[in-house]
Amino acid sequence: MGWGRLKGLPRLRLRGGGYLNAYFDRAAFWAGARAEQGGERKAAIGKKTIVEHTSINPNKAAHIGHVRNAVLGDTMVRVLRHAGNRVQIQNYIDNTGVQVADVVIGFLQMEQRTPIGVKMMAMEPMFDYYCWDLYAKATNFFAEDKARAEKLRSATLRAIEEGKGEDAEVAQVVADAIVGSHLRTMARLDIHYDLLARESEILHLKFWDAAFEMLKKSGAIHLATTGKMAGCWVMPWEEEKKETSVINTETAESTEDTQKSEDEENSQDKIIVRSNGTVTYVGKDIAYQLWKFGLLGKDFYYRKWPNVPEGETVWATTSGKSDPAAPHFGEAASCVYNVIDARQAYLQKVVAAGLRALGHGEAAERSIHLSYEIVALTPRCAAEMGYELTSEEAKKPYVEVSGRKGFGVKADDLLDKLEAAALDEVQSRHPANFEGFALDLWTTVEQSETAHAIAIGALRFYLLKFTRTSVIAFDFRDALSFEGETGPYCQYAVVRARGIWRRGAEISPEMTSEDNIAEAARILELSQPEAARKFLDTSENNDLWELSLLAGSLDHAVEAAIGTQEPAFVAKYAFQLAQAFNNFYHKHHILSEADEQKRAFLLRLTELVEAQLVRALGLMGIEAPEKM
């Protein structure tokens, strides 16, 4: 029985058992895919969406776990923009928190340095590396005497929050210098930001004061008068016992004092203002979330951040005079993605509960915690990075890292090692010179640029191919492999497609010239659905249809990534398309195809796959090099 015609579905048939068979119009899909291939990115419309990501404590060098955060956030930005969303990228800088205070204590109390001495050190290369080691030493220093730690931290935090004295002066030097290091590290991965939202302005511009009054007036928080939280402003939390365990791991870099016992730490999570008057991270984050949604009634002042990679413009909040040229960052967002690791899930729930308690339930629902699990190392990778493992650790599937202990892979070290390994591979395949013989030689610049593209592609793809709920055990060899589900494998598929055009030009310049292919398409009407039908509808050409279908499904992968908040869908799409194209490449002898019409179709299909694969890789921040 016929059920009429729907667009793209020329036939529908009712079958037994209640099944309905739908027959796809393959040629119409081909025409649509070709149109999509040449289309521009959708224009950004509607209210803005904020994606806050990276948000590294500015007290030490970035590590591999931070890179996963940044790559996830940056990829969400790219897919949201591809779908036509107007996206603003924010990087929250916790420059008044415990981690910065620990490094300040390390400089002023442990090493007895002066503020001017710290300023001079901050101008030197690898200052972030020095602070990495100092932070680990401070952790051991505090562990020796917890009472001393409590006293020093309390006094230092208060001074930093109030912006007074040498503690505040050194804190600003440390945080500003290390933010500059983080920006340069992330620029190597082609990750950039619109706004650095600094925690200090939440305090100095009275954002927190406004939020505090709102919370007290609504009854969302109350002053504890008895028990261990006496003198603290706290938010009641019914799910405490069930939820808090997720952040109590040794490797978690909690925004609270992780030196406390587990019971004490759990109770701290719902404290909004400590008994000494200092504000917890969750309190300041409530104020920040209210501002993002335009619910605070206040705005920051803005200035250009001075210490940025060449060619970039990054804005930052300031307590000083606002630059009149600054964009309107204070516009209310319709949706906010907060990219924060899964161990902070409890704190994110408390922030959302604060919004609800203030009557902003809709904003709480549109405040999305884009969580992710930790990045560890395979024992092999840890050994390659120079870490000494016990026999027991060497047998484990992965080795956890800890920035507080100084054990981990710094992001720049990781990138250097990946680029060096990629360069070795490129040089083995394409020497810069060979005993004076004229070969297909590459310049050293070409080698270096290609190695960089491969290294970044390998890392970004490796961090994206796993779902956010998966613990990643990073391994150099697995990531850099040219085979299997890797970035280089997908990049090589693009290079292979481009190689077809190059070889065609060498055989016969007319065969693959754009003008001649376009003319052949016009004469043979390959751009028309009816002309393409002969290559797509027959059973012997099912592989051509399946490749065409996959190539035309990029937007579906993007929609899935946005709908599930899972960038892994784009990585999976890119790998499947690369895999299908490689099978197609080995099956069909494109340039030697005797049938002129079929050759033109195969070239057009190659062109479609190349374009869509380049776009998919671009959504993951991965460049497709010309040669590999």
Side-chain angles (χ1 to χ4, degrees), residues 225-230:
T225 56
T226 60
K228 62 183 178 182
M229 291 186 288

Side-chain angles (χ1 to χ4, degrees), residues 149-456:
E150 182 68 25
K151 181 178 179 181
L152 283 172
R153 278 195 175 120
S154 178
T156 305
L157 275 172
R158 179 176 287 280
I160 292 173
E161 288 188 1
E162 293 176 353
K164 298 178 180 178
E166 290 187 347
D167 289 341
E169 183 181 357
V170 172
Q172 181 175 337
V173 169
V174 169
D176 288 2
I178 291 181
V179 166
S181 296
H182 292 166
L183 293 179
R184 288 188 292 275
T185 299
M186 295 305 160
R188 296 180 67 180
L189 289 154
D190 196 21
I191 294 174
H192 312 280
Y193 311 91
D194 297 318
L195 177 67
L196 306 178
R198 304 198 309 164
E199 189 172 86
S200 52
E201 274 70 69
I202 289 176
L203 297 171
H204 300 160
L205 295 178
K206 309 299 182 183
F207 275 39
W208 164 243
D209 290 3
F212 190 30
E213 290 304 314
M214 294 166 68
L215 289 165
K216 287 190 292 185
K217 185 176 180 180
S218 69
I221 61 176
H222 66 270
L223 181 65
T225 56
T226 60
K228 62 183 178 182
M229 291 186 288
C232 300
W233 285 91
V234 300
M235 179 183 295
W237 185 251
E238 296 178 358
E239 296 181 41
E240 179 177 1
K241 291 183 179 179
K242 182 174 66 176
E243 299 290 346
T244 54
S245 63
V246 295
I247 65 166
N248 294 324
T249 66
E250 187 176 51
T251 57
E253 290 188 75
S254 170
T255 47
E256 300 302 331
D257 181 359
T258 55
Q259 297 302 300
K260 298 180 181 295
S261 69
E262 288 190 1
D263 287 342
E264 290 174 321
E265 186 176 351
N266 289 349
S267 67
Q268 286 287 341
D269 293 341
K270 66 180 179 183
I271 292 177
I272 307 302
V273 182
R274 304 180 186 93
S275 58
N276 63 9
T278 58
V279 188
T280 62
Y281 166 82
V282 73
K284 289 174 278 192
D285 204 28
I286 289 173
Y288 182 36
Q289 287 296 97
L290 287 169
W291 170 78
K292 288 177 182 176
F293 286 106
L295 301 171
L296 194 63
K298 299 177 72 66
D299 197 5
F300 291 111
Y301 302 139
Y302 305 96
R303 67 183 176 99
K304 289 182 180 178
W305 189 255
N307 190 13
V308 298
E310 185 177 356
E312 286 191 34
T313 298
V314 181
W315 292 88
T317 59
T318 179
S319 300
K321 185 178 180 181
S322 191
D323 188 330
H328 181 39
F329 290 110
E331 176 192 358
S334 62
C335 182
V336 174
Y337 291 84
N338 301 303
V339 186
I340 306 174
D341 81 47
R343 295 167 300 191
Q344 305 297 327
Y346 174 69
L347 298 180
Q348 287 296 297
K349 289 178 182 292
V350 175
V351 171
L355 295 180
R356 290 190 185 92
L358 291 171
H360 303 304
E362 186 178 349
E365 292 301 316
R366 290 185 279 111
S367 183
I368 298 167
H369 178 201
L370 197 77
S371 64
Y372 60 93
E373 284 293 345
I374 64 169
V375 181
L377 310 176
T378 62
R380 179 173 66 187
C381 180
E384 289 174 353
M385 292 301 297
Y387 291 110
E388 294 184 5
L389 304 178
T390 65
S391 57
E392 185 177 333
E393 287 175 326
K395 295 176 183 177
K396 293 182 178 180
Y398 59 82
V399 180
E400 292 190 29
V401 299
S402 171
R404 189 173 285 276
K405 291 182 176 181
F407 179 73
V409 176
K410 301 180 186 71
D412 282 313
D413 285 349
L414 173 66
L415 291 171
D416 289 344
K417 191 170 182 65
L418 283 169
E419 290 198 22
L423 184 59
D424 285 345
E425 182 68 26
V426 170
Q427 289 175 336
S428 69
R429 294 171 179 236
H430 305 279
N433 58 73
F434 184 72
E435 299 179 357
F437 289 97
L439 302 173
D440 178 21
L441 303 180
W442 288 20
T443 66
T444 54
V445 173
E446 286 178 315
Q447 289 179 336
S448 179
E449 289 177 347
T450 301
H452 174 76
I454 292 171
I456 300 306

Side-chain angles (χ1 to χ4, degrees), residues 429 454 461 481-484 486-503 547 550 573-586 590 605-617 622-628:
R429 294 171 179 236
I454 292 171
F461 191 92
S481 174
F482 278 57
E483 299 299 326
T486 66
Y489 178 84
C490 296
Q491 290 171 310
Y492 191 68
V494 176
V495 171
R496 175 168 274 172
R498 290 171 176 167
I500 293 172
W501 296 96
R502 282 197 297 270
R503 286 195 301 276
L547 182 58
L550 188 55
Y573 168 84
F575 171 66
Q576 290 174 343
L577 182 57
Q579 192 175 45
F581 175 74
N582 284 332
N583 293 335
F584 160 83
Y585 174 87
H586 289 297
I590 300 169
L605 180 53
T606 298
E607 181 183 55
L608 171 63
V609 171
E610 177 194 345
Q612 294 293 78
L613 192 50
V614 168
R615 293 173 77 190
L617 290 173
I622 298 173
E623 178 188 354
E626 287 299 319
K627 296 186 288 184
M628 286 176 68

Side-chain angles (χ1 to χ4, degrees), residues 129-147:
Y129 278 46
Y130 186 90
C131 290
W132 173 287
D133 293 333
L134 182 59
Y135 181 52
K137 292 175 184 176
T139 297
N140 294 330
F141 174 74
F142 294 136
E144 294 169 358
D145 187 338
K146 293 186 177 181

